[in-house]
Amino acid sequence: MAVTIKDVAALAGVSPSTVSRTCKNNPSISEETKERVRRAMAELGYEPNFQASNLAAQISRSIGIILPPSPKETYENSFYLETIRGISHYCNAHQYISTIVTGQNEEEILNAVRSMSRSGKVNGFIVLYSRVNDPVIDFLFSEGLLYILIGKPAQYTNHTIYIDNDNLLAGQEATEYLYALGHRKIAYLGVDNSLVFSADRKTGYMTALISHGLTVQPEYCIEVPAASQNEFQELRKLLLREERPTAVLVSDDILALSLERICIEADISIPEDLSILSFNNSLFARLTSPQLTSIDINSGQLGMEAATQMISHIENPSLPATKIIVPHQLIERDSCRRI
Amino acid sequence: MAVTIKDVAALAGVSPSTVSRTCKNNPSISEETKERVRRAMAELGYEPNFQASNLAAQISRSIGIILPPSPKETYENSFYLETIRGISHYCNAHQYISTIVTGQNEEEILNAVRSMSRSGKVNGFIVLYSRVNDPVIDFLFSEGLLYILIGKPAQYTNHTIYIDNDNLLAGQEATEYLYALGHRKIAYLGVDNSLVFSADRKTGYMTALISHGLTVQPEYCIEVPAASQNEFQELRKLLLREERPTAVLVSDDILALSLERICIEADISIPEDLSILSFNNSLFARLTSPQLTSIDINSGQLGMEAATQMISHIENPSLPATKIIVPHQLIERDSCRRI
DNA sequence: CTGAAAGCGCTTACAG
DNA sequence: CTGAAAGCGCTTACAG
């Protein structure tokens, strides 16, 4: 077996209690004793047993990460892995564990969540998406479980800890950027509006238009649910209209790729005939030709902040529900032109 | 507090031992008793405490997932998240936990691995990549830790449990496919050859050429390390040569996107002037124009099989080192033409 | 400043 | 077929 607290205690000539207290740097232990214990720990390569420590302290030091229940496509978005890396990195450094909860549908997710909380596998959940009417959130909330949202809550807002970008502002700034380049006919292309981030970016877009006295035309706001990524009829129609837009704000890089493809097919060149500005600044913004101007949302930091909040709330349950906004920045490339 | 084994025992009128045995469906307990205990468990919504159960059984029921230590780019490949989902899904269903080990460099990874195994946080590691001379593998092996490789081992092959596609065969079949379409000038474009999967696909490619009496030309085999994805000089030169290839086999879809971009810039049209066949069949194979013919490698299944193997090896350490090959399939789209 | 002891919620050899 | 008891490796009130 591995080395235990007793081995260390024996070598340092103290009791197990003293070793345990030294590990948590308890101020009631004298520096000399601590030093002696630390030497013994180093010599033996001791690390406290995770399960035993957790059981005694009545904590699990584990966090569940909930992915959206959905078809394969969604996960192609590198946002998820970047966020997960942010969470994992912070957890690794703080002696916590994080585990991914995934399933084909809400039923599976719900079962996993229920089982994980009942068995004490996990002390809280980080939810990697936010959409309206989400049964997973309803369940977490109604069971009184600790959860943190990445994205803006669609419900229980005031009681929810969440980490988000200011998507409203980002949408507004993006639109302003296009406006400043001389564009007046600006369209918005987004995924499913039940996803809060896309709805927010769109609201920012509309706010900016209105503030410049432009009218928001319904035909200029197109929604493409992830499921039907093959049907872009409405979008094609828009691009072939007499009054077609000179610029499109797109809710993410992957969708922008689809838009580019349609443009190529329709012989519309970018940025000469159409400017494109998108979100996420993933690798794909750099792989297209021309490279996309895109808004970086710092996914890794979103994850890291979420983990930070989670750990403080686990260790200090009386903390109030914090809201954290992670900054975004516009990365200029070659897909927008001045007109 | 949550409901414990004692609560269930009291309600069912048995001892805690009996409840515990019922949970594991121990055959020595009579069916009638089991039934009674099960009713009590259901009534109370009991699930065994994960930490306590693990501590008593001297197991952690947790698996570490090791991501390659590297710059951001790598993770844009949806292969990783798909594989992680496969692992997680299986773990969720089998009362195991999986946690991601990540770091900026090998040093960080090694520290995390060391800490996790010493503290008993984790019973084994699944390594999501395989490259030559990997210090992480060296460490795992020399410490005698349980690990499973996704990909073909570059060392300790005979002692390693691994899950892989038959990348050699896949590379060969892909080349055969192009050959059958009439192509004779076929190039190979791959990432860093120290990554085993890419080297294997290339070997398959060469094998196929040779079997048809074609010579393998060094200028036709181009290697683009991930770090320098902006420098495609060699590739550009190849595409502009008199004797330029009519088809390129590419080690993954993301790299194929770059190739497409270069072709657009060089006014080479696909598939008229150049056929492209790539690997992974990610979403991006469908987002390009034309859509890419690509070889699906079933990443989710790779993960699932890895988790399956891991759990059986944890629960039965005397099992021999299994090797599992997950099938691939070629998905025909529009990027290859007959000449 | 330090230690002995009880307890966290299970599992499992042992006894019957 | 079932139970009492010891033990997994820690933590932490309590006592000194």
Side-chain angles (χ1 to χ4, degrees), chain A residues 90-105:
Chain A
Y90 191 85
C91 285
N92 287 177
H94 289 77
Q95 307 295 349
Y96 267 66
I97 258 186
S98 62
T99 190
I100 289 171
V101 186
T102 185
Q104 313 294 341
N105 51 49

Side-chain angles (χ1 to χ4, degrees), chain A residues 2-171:
Chain A
V3 16
T4 74
I5 203 170
K6 286 188 187 170
D7 302 320
V8 178
L11 182 60
V14 295
S15 74
S17 326
T18 300
V19 177
S20 174
R21 290 189 182 106
T22 301
C23 285
K24 344 204 108 46
N25 201 20
N26 186 318
S28 73
I29 305 289
S30 75
E31 266 314 316
E32 301 77 63
T33 312
K34 276 181 187 166
E35 214 24 74
R36 197 146 38 92
V37 173
R38 285 191 189 116
R39 265 199 299 277
M41 294 199 297
E43 193 176 327
L44 298 174
Y46 171 74
E47 285 209 28
N49 180 285
F50 190 63
Q51 328 276 329
S53 165
N54 289 347
L55 179 59
Q58 292 289 81
I59 194 179
S60 76
R61 275 181 251 265
S62 304
I63 301 172
I65 302 175
I66 305 183
L67 283 171
S70 53
K72 195 173 180 250
E73 328 282 90
T74 317
Y75 307 104
E76 304 269 352
N77 195 323
S78 61
F79 164 80
Y80 293 105
L81 188 52
E82 275 309 309
T83 311
I84 290 171
R85 285 193 72 216
I87 298 172
S88 302
H89 196 254
Y90 191 85
C91 285
N92 287 177
H94 289 77
Q95 307 295 349
Y96 267 66
I97 258 186
S98 62
T99 190
I100 289 171
V101 186
T102 185
Q104 313 294 341
N105 51 49
E106 264 124 13
E107 181 77 8
E108 275 188 38
I109 301 269
L110 248 37
N111 285 335
V113 167
R114 188 181 293 116
S115 161
M116 285 191 174
S117 58
R118 281 191 181 162
S119 65
K121 271 196 200 73
V122 138
N123 272 321
F125 297 90
I126 294 177
V127 184
L128 293 194
Y129 64 97
S130 176
R131 66 156 53 101
V132 296
N133 296 326
D134 183 13
V136 174
I137 295 294
D138 283 337
F139 180 77
L140 290 168
F141 186 80
S142 68
E143 295 279 301
L145 298 171
L146 173 61
Y147 69 94
I148 293 184
L149 208 59
I150 293 199
K152 197 162 79 183
Q155 47 211 318
Y156 320 122
T157 309
N158 207 37
H159 306 282
T160 305
I161 313 167
Y162 68 86
I163 322 289
D164 197 10
N165 302 287
D166 190 337
N167 281 310
L168 227 134
L169 182 64

Side-chain angles (χ1 to χ4, degrees), chain B residues 5 21 25 36 39 57 88 90 133 135 165 171 193 197 233-234 236-238 247 254 272 294 316 318 326 330 339:
Chain B
I5 203 170
R21 289 189 181 105
N25 201 19
R36 198 147 34 91
R39 265 199 300 275
S88 301
Y90 192 84
N133 296 327
N165 302 287
N193 263 329
F197 77 88
Q233 292 316 325
E234 231 187 318
R236 282 202 187 84
K237 247 193 305 187
L238 174 64
I254 295 184
E272 289 70 23
S294 185
N316 192 346
S318 61
V326 168
L330 193 145
I339 61 171

Side-chain angles (χ1 to χ4, degrees), chain B residues 285-298:
Chain B
R286 272 160 292 147
L287 288 184
T288 53
S289 179
Q291 299 192 315
L292 294 172
T293 293
S294 185
I295 294 186
D296 194 309
I297 58 167
N298 293 311

